[in-house]
Structure formats: structure tokens, C-alpha cells
Amino acid sequence: AQSVAQPEDQVNVAEGNPLTVKCTYSVSGNPYLFWYVQYPNRGLQFLLKYITGDNLVKGSYGFEAEFNKSQTSFHLKKPSALVSDSALYFCAVSVDTGRRALTFGSGTRLQVQP
Amino acid sequence: NAGVTQTPKFQVLKTGQSMTLQCAQDMNHNSMYWYRQDPGMGLRLIYYSASEGTTDKGEVPNGYNVSRLNKREFSLRLESAAPSQTSVYFCASSTPNQPQHFGDGTRLSIL
């Protein structure tokens, strides 16, 4: 069975500072990894994905994530946080065979203070 | 520019009532999904449809049924609603190995 862990319920960062939202995963097979963001009363919006290739993936709104196979991690990063980045962030994983449905982490709330 | 459309957006039911949540996508995706979102638990897969005419159980299928009416539409039915089914329900669609596109959700309360 596949699983995703987001160890922090909330991350607080000052505007202009770098941010990191952590994610680790467990799968049997090659992982496909995704980050999504959710704003209040909205569905999830795709930020970035890792399927194969470069371990550093760049996505929307200046976000990036680094795939680390040995540590089974896929942490989300941004060099300079904006107040508008405040939202709920979800890491998700699927595998390259079978159903390919996503398994989500429990989410991390990012709060960027002015 | 519709993407994934869910109806209704809000619904309040009494225990034992039935209802169907509707989902339609206009992106010609083969795969469609139903998730529920509960506080502190992320999204959990209820049912999945890889293509028209096929459906498969997810992590939490009990108390739900689905119908893949055609390529565009995938409905979720609660036959006899229970308070434990109070949640926010999301429909999503995708092509294989590509990001899933989500609707804005249906907020369902069962009294």
C-alpha cells in the first residue's frame, strides 16, 4: 500500500523568507509525486509533479520541489514567500502501474506573515 | 474554461435520505475520481473510473455507489445518508500519469 506523510500541520514563515513544506512517501514501484494547493472553499490546484528525470522540479507561482529517492522525500520549497502563498498544501503519490489513483497526505497549512 | 463541474455546491440532508452528487468534465479525460475531504485526513479515494463503463472501489467505498454515465459524467450516490458521511466531496479527472483536475467540491451535511 502507498502512503504519504506530511509531518507538519502548520508552517509559519515571514514574507520574503524561504519556505519548505515537507513530504515523505512510501510506495511499491516507481513513484509519481505531486503537490497541490487549496484555497478556502475551492478545489485543489496543481502546482508541480515529478514523474522522471531531474530531481529538482519547478512549478507554478515560483514553487519547486526536490525528489530524493534515498530519503523517499519530495519537499516543496520557495525562495521568497508571499502573503498570498498562505493556503493548504497537499503532497500526493501514485505509482506507474495499476489504478494510478492518488494517495494524499493530510495537508500542511502554510501561514505567511507580513 | 469549465474544467470539472460539480453540483450541487452545498446540501443538507437528514439521516436516511438519499441523494446523487453530479460531476462533469469537458477535458476529454478517460479517468475520473471521487474523493472525500475530512479535517486532518487529506483526501481519501471513494471510487475511481478508469474509462467509460468501468468503476473500481477506492479506500472508503462503503455507503456509496457510482455511475460512469458516459465519458464526461461520473456521479456519486448516497443511498441512505449517515452523519459519518458529512464531508466535502471532490470530483477529479485526468489522463494517465498527468495531474488530476479537481472541481470546487460539494459540501454535504447530514443531520
Side-chain angles (χ1 to χ4, degrees), chain A residues 32 34 36 38 40-44 46 49 51 88 90 95-96 98-107, chain B residues 33 35 37 40-45 48 56-59 90 96-105 107:
Chain A
Y32 294 162
F34 302 83
Y36 286 85
Q38 185 180 33
N41 299 315
R42 299 300 303 275
L44 277 67
F46 168 72
K49 67 179 181 183
I51 303 294
L88 188 57
F90 289 97
V95 292
D96 59 352
R99 166 185 300 165
R100 295 175 176 161
L102 291 171
T103 297
F104 285 86
S106 56
Chain B
Y33 312 82
Y35 295 91
Q37 182 180 22
M41 300 186 73
L43 279 75
R44 292 180 292 169
L45 182 68
Y48 158 72
D56 194 10
K57 293 179 179 179
E59 183 183 354
F90 287 100
N97 303 330
Q98 294 303 312
Q100 293 182 15
H101 295 255
F102 286 80
D104 282 341
R107 284 148 186 82

Side-chain angles (χ1 to χ4, degrees), chain B residues 38-83:
Chain B
D38 301 294
M41 300 186 73
L43 279 75
R44 292 180 292 169
L45 182 68
I46 304 171
Y47 269 95
Y48 158 72
S49 172
S51 62
E52 184 179 352
T54 68
T55 61
D56 194 10
K57 293 179 179 179
E59 183 183 354
V60 288
N62 290 344
Y64 305 96
N65 286 301
V66 291
S67 295
R68 183 73 183 267
L69 305 171
N70 48 54
K71 191 171 186 177
R72 289 186 65 248
E73 298 173 289
F74 188 38
S75 62
L76 178 72
R77 183 163 178 82
L78 286 69
E79 291 290 351
S80 179

